[in-house]
Amino acid sequence: FDAVGLGVGLLDRVADTDERRILAIMTDGLENASREYTRETIKALLDRKQKEEGWLVLYLGAGHDAWAQASAMGLHAGNVAAFSKRAMMGSMAAMGARSKRYAMAQDAGEDASAGGFTDRERTGMVDPKKKN
C-alpha cells in the first residue's frame, strides 16, 4: 500500500492538473508491511483520484485473486487483470493498448470507469501453457 500511495504522490507532483494520469499496479497481492497507508486509506485515495480527477488505475495481479484485491481497493473491474510472469510481453502490450485508449478518449473519466482490457488483451496476459 505504501508503494501505491507513493506512486499517487509522485504523479500528483510531476503532472499538470489538466494532464491525464495512469497508475499501473503490478503485484503478487501480498502486503509487505506498509507503514504509512492501509487498504482503507488507499481505497479512499484511489476512489477520489478515479472519480474526481478521472485517473486510470490499472491492476495486474499475479498468483492471486486480482479482482478481489482490486475490488477491496475500489478499482474498476474492467481495468483489472490476472497476469502470468511468463507472459510479460503480452501484459506490457495490453497495458499499452489500454492506456492508449484512455489517452485518446474524448472523456477520460468515462473511459477510465467504463472501459477496460479487451478479451484478447486478457488472453495475452496469461501463460499459454497453463489453464486458468
Side-chain angles (χ1 to χ4, degrees):
F1 298 123
D2 284 356
V4 173
L6 180 65
V8 169
L10 180 63
L11 280 173
D12 271 338
R13 284 191 299 278
V14 300
D16 291 333
T17 56
D18 61 339
E19 289 181 318
R20 296 179 183 191
R21 293 181 183 93
I22 301 169
L23 178 68
I25 302 166
M26 294 182 75
T27 181
D28 60 7
L30 299 176
E31 169 52 36
N32 294 316
S34 293
R35 296 179 183 185
E36 293 184 41
Y37 293 91
T38 64
R39 180 181 322 277
E40 293 76 22
T41 59
I42 288 298
K43 182 177 180 182
L45 177 63
L46 294 179
D47 188 59
R48 187 173 71 248
K49 295 300 182 182
Q50 291 174 103
K51 288 181 181 173
E52 295 175 13
E53 299 178 32
W55 284 33
L56 174 61
V57 181
L58 303 175
Y59 185 100
L60 276 67
H64 69 282
D65 185 344
W67 285 269
Q69 292 294 327
S71 176
M73 294 170 64
L75 303 182
H76 302 291
N79 296 320
V80 177
F83 82 102
S84 168
K85 296 172 191 174
R86 293 179 186 223
M88 194 57 71
M89 285 181 56
S91 299
M92 294 301 104
M95 284 193 344
R98 175 66 187 105
S99 298
K100 182 178 180 180
R101 287 192 299 277
Y102 167 77
M104 302 301 290
Q106 285 204 307
D107 185 335
E110 174 68 21
D111 182 78
S113 64
F117 291 108
T118 66
D119 289 342
R120 185 179 185 144
E121 290 163 350
R122 289 179 191 286
T123 300
M125 289 188 263
V126 296
D127 185 352
K129 296 176 185 171
K130 279 180 114 177
K131 290 191 178 204
N132 289 345

